[in-house]
C-alpha cells in the first residue's frame, strides 16, 4: 500500500526561491536529512536527495518515466508550459532509437577529433585575456571559451547573448511557471526568429554535427520530424552546464591553493578537477521523473502519476556517499557522481564537455602560476541551473 503524504516528512521550503537557487547548500543539507523520500508541499511532489535513492530513481525508467516531463510541468496534462525534448523526455523504445543515432553522431572518436582545434582555441583565448592580470572567470574565460568552441562544433552561428537567453530559458522552463520563467520567456520571444532558424537545415552551417542530425532523419535513423526538436535540445543544453562546471572549477581552484598546487604537479588530473567541480556544484541542480504503478523508493510505495523532484546537487554532496563531502579534492575518486545524470538518460554531451574542460584547464595550468579570488563571487538565480554570474580573479602568469 502506498504511503500517505502524512506518513512522509513534509518540506515547506521552496526549492525555487531565488535565495535557495543562489545559495543552495543549507537547503541541500535540510533535504539530505529529510528521509529517503519526502513530500514538497510547495509543488505537491515527492522529493529524493540522498545519493542511493537518487541513483535508484534515475536508473529505473520503468517506474520513474521521463516522457511526462523532466521538469515540473506534467506534459501529459493541460497547462504544461514546456515543449518536450525528443531524447531527454522520451522513454524506451523511442528514446533508444534516437539515442543510438546520436551516439554515432557524437561518438568518442568523433569528439576526440576536435581536440586539436579545441586546444588551439583555448590557447588563443588565454593568451588574449590572461595578461591583463584581472579577469572575470565566468565571462572572460568559461563563457567565452564554451561559446567559441561548442557552436562551431554543432554548426550554428556563434551569438553569445542569444545562446544565453536560450540556455537560461530552458533551465527556467524546467521549474515552476514563476517570475524567472516569465522573464526568460519574454527574452526568448524577442529572438524567436533567430531561435527557430537554428532548428532548421537552413540555419545549420555545413560541417558541424548538427547537419548530421538532419542527415540521420533523412536516412530514417531517427523518426521523421525529430531532427529539429533534437537541434533545439542541443542548442539549449550544450552550453550552460559546461560553462557552469568550468566556472565552478575556476572558483574552487582559486579558493584552494593546495588543490591548485596538486593540479600543477599533476596536470593529468584536469578531467578529475572538472568532474569534482560538477560534484560540488552540480550544474543541473535537480530534475524530475513521474511515477508509474509500482514505483517504490526504499521501502516506501509511491502514488502513481506523481512528480518526483530528484535533487542531483544534494545527492552529489551526500556525506553517506562522499567522505568530507563539502570539500573540493581534485584527487577524489568520483565513481558514482550524478553530475552527468545516471541510467539511460546519462548526458549525451558528456564527452564534449569533458574535452572542453580538459583542453581549457590544461591550457590554464600551463600558463598560470597562481590565481586567487579578487572579490565576491556572484551567483545567478535560474530555476534548475546552478551557475555563477560573476567570478573576479587575479592571475599571475609564469
Amino acid at each position: 500500500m502506498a504511503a500517505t503524504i502524512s506518513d512522509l516528512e513534509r518540506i515547506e521550503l521552496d526549492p525555487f526561491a531565488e535565495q535557495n537557487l543562489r545559495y543552495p547548500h543549507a537547503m541541500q543539507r535540510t533535504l539530505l536529512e529529510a528521509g529517503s523520500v519526502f513530500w514538497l508541499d510547495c509543488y505537491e511532489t515527492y522529493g529524493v536527495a540522498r545519493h542511493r535513492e537518487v541513483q535508484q530513481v534515475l536508473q529505473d525508467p520503468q517506474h520513474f518515466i521521463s516522457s511526462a516531463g523532466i521538469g515540473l510541468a506534467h506534459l501529459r496534462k493541460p497547462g504544461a508550459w514546456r515543449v518536450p525534448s525528443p531524447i531527454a523526455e522520451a522513454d524506451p523504445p523511442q528514446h533508444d532509437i534516437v539515442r543510438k543515432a546520436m551516439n554515432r553522431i557524437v561518438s568518442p572518436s568523433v569528439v576526440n577529433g576536435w581536440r586539436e582545434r579545441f586546444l588551439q582555441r583555448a590557447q588563443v583565448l588565454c593568451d588574449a585575456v590572461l595578461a591583463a592580470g584581472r579577469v572575470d572567470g565566468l565571462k572572460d574565460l568559461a563563457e567565452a571559451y564554451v561559446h567559441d568552441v561548442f557552436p562551431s562544433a554543432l554548426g550554428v552561428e556563434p551569438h553569445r547573448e542569444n545562446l544565453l537567453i536560450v540556455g537560461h530559458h530552458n533551465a527556467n522552463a524546467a521549474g515552476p511557471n514563476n517570475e524567472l520563467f516569465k522573464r526568460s520567456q519574454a527574452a526568448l520571444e524577442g529572438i524567436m526568429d533567430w531561435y527557430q532558424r537554428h532548428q532548421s537545415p537552413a540555419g545549420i552551417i555545413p560541417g558541424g554535427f548538427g547537419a548530421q542530425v538532419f542527415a540521420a532523419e533523412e536516412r530514417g535513423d531517427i523518426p521523421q520530424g525529430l531532427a529539429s526538436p533534437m537541434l533545439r535540445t542541443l542548442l539549449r543544453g550544450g552550453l550552460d552546464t559546461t560553462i557552469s562546471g568550468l566556472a565552478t572549477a575556476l572558483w574552487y581552484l582559486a579558493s584552494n591553493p593546495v588543490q591548485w598546487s596538486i593540479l600543477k604537479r599533476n596536470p593529468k588530473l584536469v578531467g578529475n578537477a572538472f568532474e569534482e567541480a560538477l560534484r560540488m556544484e552540480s550544474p543541473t541542480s535537480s530534475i524530475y521523473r513521474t511515477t508509474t504503478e509500482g514505483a517504490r523508493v526504499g521501502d516506501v510505495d509511491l502514488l502513481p502519476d506523481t512528480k518526483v523532484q530528484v535533487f542531483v546537487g544534494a545527492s552529489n554532496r551526500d556525506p553517506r556517499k562522499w567522505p568530507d563531502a563539502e570539500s573540493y579534492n581534485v584527487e577524489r575518486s568520483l565513481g558514482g557522481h550524478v553530475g552527468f545524470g545516471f541510467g539511460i538518460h546519462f548526458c549525451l554531451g558528456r564527452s564534449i564537455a569533458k574535452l572542453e574542460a580538459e583542453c581549457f584547464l590544461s591550457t590554464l595550468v600551463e600558463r598560470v602560476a597562481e590565481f586567487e579570488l579578487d572579490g565576491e563571487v556572484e551567483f545567478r538565480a535560474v530555476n534548475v541551473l546552478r551557475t555563477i554570474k560573476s567570478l573576479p580573479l587575479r592571475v599571475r602568469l609564469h
Side-chain angles (χ1 to χ4, degrees):
M1 181 177 178
T4 64
I5 304 308
S6 61
D7 294 330
L8 303 176
E9 181 159 350
R10 299 179 66 154
I11 304 296
E12 295 182 0
L13 61 78
D14 181 358
F16 299 107
E18 294 196 18
Q19 181 73 5
N20 287 331
L21 293 171
R22 289 193 176 95
Y23 306 102
H25 298 157
M27 177 190 73
Q28 290 170 347
R29 287 189 287 269
T30 296
L31 298 178
L32 286 167
E33 294 308 312
S36 60
V37 60
F38 45 87
W39 182 257
L40 290 152
D41 280 334
C42 193
Y43 300 107
E44 298 186 331
T45 69
Y46 290 112
V48 292
R50 295 178 182 177
H51 183 269
R52 182 176 64 181
E53 286 75 19
V54 163
Q55 279 199 335
Q56 176 201 332
V57 168
L58 293 180
Q59 68 181 351
D60 184 2
Q62 178 181 354
H63 295 108
F64 299 92
I65 61 172
S66 299
S67 57
I70 62 172
L72 176 59
H74 196 307
L75 299 183
R76 296 179 176 178
K77 294 182 178 180
W81 54 89
R82 299 185 60 248
V83 178
S85 160
I87 186 168
E89 291 172 309
D91 300 319
Q94 177 176 305
H95 167 270
D96 300 342
I97 294 169
V98 179
R99 182 73 187 225
K100 182 178 179 180
M102 291 304 304
N103 282 345
R104 288 195 295 267
I105 291 171
V106 289
S107 69
S109 61
V110 169
V111 173
N112 198 51
W114 306 338
R115 183 175 296 274
E116 184 176 346
R117 177 161 55 89
F118 279 23
L119 185 59
Q120 188 265 339
R121 296 309 301 164
Q123 292 166 346
V124 168
L125 175 64
C126 286
D127 289 344
V129 304
L130 292 179
R134 285 186 173 90
V135 296
D136 186 318
L138 184 280
K139 296 175 183 176
D140 300 331
L141 293 175
E143 193 177 282
Y145 178 65
V146 175
H147 278 277
D148 179 14
V149 298
F150 183 80
S152 64
L154 180 59
V156 301
E157 169 192 343
H159 193 303
R160 189 189 298 194
E161 181 180 348
N162 286 2
L163 289 169
L164 284 172
I165 289 172
V166 169
H168 290 167
H169 179 66
N170 176 57
N172 279 322
N177 189 353
N178 57 8
E179 285 303 313
L180 293 172
F181 168 79
K182 291 172 183 176
R183 289 198 295 267
S184 65
Q185 175 69 29
L188 185 69
E189 288 173 356
I191 62 163
M192 191 56 69
D193 289 346
W194 181 93
Y195 184 40
Q196 291 178 340
R197 186 172 74 252
H198 286 83
Q199 299 170 40
S200 69
I204 296 298
I205 301 168
F209 72 90
Q212 296 301 314
V213 179
F214 287 103
E217 184 184 71
E218 290 180 7
R219 291 192 303 269
D221 293 346
I222 60 176
Q224 289 294 311
L226 289 191
S228 288
M230 192 67 229
L231 258 293
R232 181 174 63 243
T233 294
L234 294 168
L235 262 177
R236 66 193 190 184
L239 296 163
D240 293 272
T241 51
T242 307
I243 291 167
S244 172
L246 274 181
T248 297
L250 294 176
W251 170 30
Y252 276 104
L253 288 167
S255 305
N256 292 273
V258 171
Q259 296 300 311
W260 175 246
S261 296
I262 293 171
L263 196 59
K264 291 284 288 181
R265 291 196 301 269
N266 188 359
K268 290 183 179 179
L269 288 172
V270 291
N272 214 63
F274 175 63
E275 294 207 44
E276 173 71 341
L278 298 184
R279 184 194 69 81
M280 290 289 291
E281 308 291 341
S282 305
T284 301
S285 55
S286 68
I287 197 166
Y288 285 86
R289 295 292 188 263
T290 304
T291 57
T292 63
E293 292 284 349
R296 184 178 177 87
V297 173
D299 59 357
V300 179
D301 295 321
L302 306 187
L303 297 169
D305 199 31
T306 305
K307 287 280 181 171
V308 181
Q309 188 169 0
V310 181
F311 288 92
V312 173
S315 168
N316 277 334
R317 298 172 72 97
D318 185 354
R320 298 164 187 80
K321 169 66 178 177
W322 312 104
D324 202 14
E326 297 191 2
S327 294
Y328 180 76
N329 179 1
V330 299
E331 297 178 294
R332 187 188 298 274
S333 175
L334 286 165
H337 87 82
V338 290
F340 284 117
F342 199 74
I344 66 170
H345 289 285
F346 188 75
C347 178
L348 175 67
R350 175 179 181 267
S351 59
I352 303 174
K354 288 194 67 175
L355 179 63
E356 291 171 293
E358 289 167 8
C359 291
F360 179 80
L361 291 176
S362 63
T363 299
L364 199 74
V365 168
E366 287 178 358
R367 284 159 168 72
V368 174
E370 297 175 347
F371 72 126
E372 61 185 2
L373 292 179
D374 192 36
E376 291 293 322
V377 181
E378 292 184 61
F379 300 91
R380 193 184 299 273
V382 184
N383 274 334
V384 300
L385 178 68
R386 172 66 168 152
T387 188
I388 290 171
K389 182 179 181 181
S390 176
L391 178 63
L393 299 174
R394 185 191 301 268
V395 180
R396 184 175 69 82
L397 303 179
H398 285 294

